[in-house]
Amino acid sequence: MQGVPPVQMRNNAVSLAKAARLHNLPTVLTGSAAEDPNGPLRSEITDLLPGVPRRRTRQ
């Protein structure tokens, strides 16, 4: 079984963020340490959800 291609993963995450904004769903953005391979939270998502609380799982 192969993983989801990175472009599809990004598009899926952006689509979920758009749906959350459209339906005014309670949302918290989470991510691992910015220095990890996953990197910081993607601007495509944070730009869609300004003012939404952000949490890091590790500092």
Side-chain angles (χ1 to χ4, degrees):
M1 180 175 196
Q2 294 182 352
V4 178
V7 172
Q8 184 179 351
M9 180 69 76
R10 183 196 69 224
N11 291 343
N12 291 348
V14 169
S15 294
L16 286 171
K18 287 179 179 180
R21 181 179 68 177
L22 177 68
H23 297 289
N24 199 28
L25 297 174
T27 306
V28 175
L29 300 177
T30 63
S32 59
E35 301 79 33
D36 282 354
N38 293 329
L41 293 171
R42 299 198 57 103
S43 62
E44 296 99 318
I45 296 170
T46 58
D47 291 349
L48 284 169
L49 300 167
V52 168
R54 299 178 191 184
R55 301 286 182 263
R56 289 256 174 233
T57 57
R58 289 184 282 157
Q59 296 299 324

